[in-house]
Amino acid sequence: MQSATHYFHKITIPGRRSRYSAWWAGNPLDTKSAAVLVDAERIDSAGRAYPITDAEWQALFYGRWTARQSGTFNV
Protein backbone atom coordinates (compact mmCIF):
# COMPACT_ATOMS: atom_id res chain seq x y z
CA MET A 1 0.00 0.00 0.00
CA GLN A 2 1.23 3.49 -0.82
CA SER A 3 1.63 6.15 1.83
CA ALA A 4 -0.58 9.23 1.64
CA THR A 5 1.06 12.53 0.75
CA HIS A 6 -2.05 14.73 0.53
CA TYR A 7 -5.26 14.92 2.52
CA PHE A 8 -8.61 16.58 1.90
CA HIS A 9 -11.37 17.07 4.48
CA LYS A 10 -14.94 18.36 4.30
CA ILE A 11 -15.23 17.09 0.73
CA THR A 12 -18.56 17.54 -1.02
CA ILE A 13 -19.60 15.39 -3.96
CA PRO A 14 -22.41 16.75 -6.16
CA GLY A 15 -25.68 14.94 -5.48
CA ARG A 16 -24.64 13.61 -2.06
CA ARG A 17 -25.44 15.08 1.35
CA SER A 18 -22.57 13.52 3.31
CA ARG A 19 -19.11 15.00 3.69
CA TYR A 20 -15.97 12.97 3.06
CA SER A 21 -12.32 12.83 4.03
CA ALA A 22 -9.77 11.37 1.64
CA TRP A 23 -6.06 10.61 1.65
CA TRP A 24 -4.07 10.51 -1.60
CA ALA A 25 -0.61 9.46 -2.76
CA GLY A 26 0.09 12.35 -5.10
CA ASN A 27 -1.90 15.51 -5.67
CA PRO A 28 -5.31 14.78 -7.25
CA LEU A 29 -5.73 18.46 -8.17
CA ASP A 30 -2.58 18.44 -10.32
CA THR A 31 -3.49 17.09 -13.76
CA LYS A 32 0.15 16.05 -14.34
CA SER A 33 0.29 14.01 -11.12
CA ALA A 34 -0.43 10.29 -11.05
CA ALA A 35 -2.50 10.51 -7.85
CA VAL A 36 -3.82 7.36 -6.20
CA LEU A 37 -6.66 7.36 -3.69
CA VAL A 38 -5.24 5.62 -0.61
CA ASP A 39 -8.17 5.80 1.82
CA ALA A 40 -11.42 7.67 2.40
CA GLU A 41 -14.35 7.84 4.79
CA ARG A 42 -17.87 9.26 4.82
CA ILE A 43 -18.77 11.62 7.64
CA ASP A 44 -22.43 11.97 8.66
CA SER A 45 -24.08 15.05 10.18
CA ALA A 46 -23.29 13.82 13.71
CA GLY A 47 -19.57 13.56 12.87
CA ARG A 48 -19.44 9.77 12.76
CA ALA A 49 -17.15 8.12 10.18
CA TYR A 50 -18.16 5.23 7.95
CA PRO A 51 -16.42 3.27 5.18
CA ILE A 52 -17.26 4.47 1.70
CA THR A 53 -19.01 2.45 -1.00
CA ASP A 54 -17.50 1.53 -4.35
CA ALA A 55 -19.65 4.23 -6.00
CA GLU A 56 -18.33 6.85 -3.57
CA TRP A 57 -14.75 5.66 -4.20
CA GLN A 58 -15.31 6.09 -7.94
CA ALA A 59 -16.84 9.54 -7.43
CA LEU A 60 -13.79 10.65 -5.43
CA PHE A 61 -11.31 9.15 -7.87
CA TYR A 62 -12.93 10.15 -11.17
CA GLY A 63 -15.62 12.67 -10.40
CA ARG A 64 -15.92 16.33 -9.51
CA TRP A 65 -15.63 17.24 -5.87
CA THR A 66 -14.57 20.17 -3.73
CA ALA A 67 -12.87 20.29 -0.34
CA ARG A 68 -12.78 22.97 2.34
CA GLN A 69 -9.57 21.73 3.98
CA SER A 70 -6.48 20.25 2.41
CA GLY A 71 -2.82 19.79 3.12
CA THR A 72 0.26 17.66 2.66
CA PHE A 73 2.21 15.34 4.90
CA ASN A 74 5.92 15.79 5.53
CA VAL A 75 7.42 12.82 3.72
Side-chain angles (χ1 to χ4, degrees):
M1 178 188 274
Q2 292 184 319
S3 296
T5 59
H6 293 73
Y7 62 87
F8 295 84
H9 298 301
K10 298 184 180 178
I11 296 170
T12 56
I13 298 174
R16 298 189 184 260
R17 295 184 67 184
S18 296
R19 300 285 185 248
Y20 300 85
S21 290
W23 295 266
W24 296 80
N27 186 354
L29 302 179
D30 181 3
T31 57
K32 296 177 183 172
S33 173
V36 175
L37 183 58
V38 175
D39 196 11
E41 60 189 17
R42 179 176 56 88
I43 312 298
D44 70 6
S45 61
R48 297 173 295 207
Y50 298 93
I52 63 171
T53 66
D54 288 337
E56 291 166 329
W57 187 280
Q58 295 297 321
L60 287 170
F61 193 76
Y62 294 112
R64 295 183 341 230
W65 51 267
T66 58
R68 289 191 193 173
Q69 294 178 344
S70 64
T72 60
F73 295 109
N74 294 328
V75 289

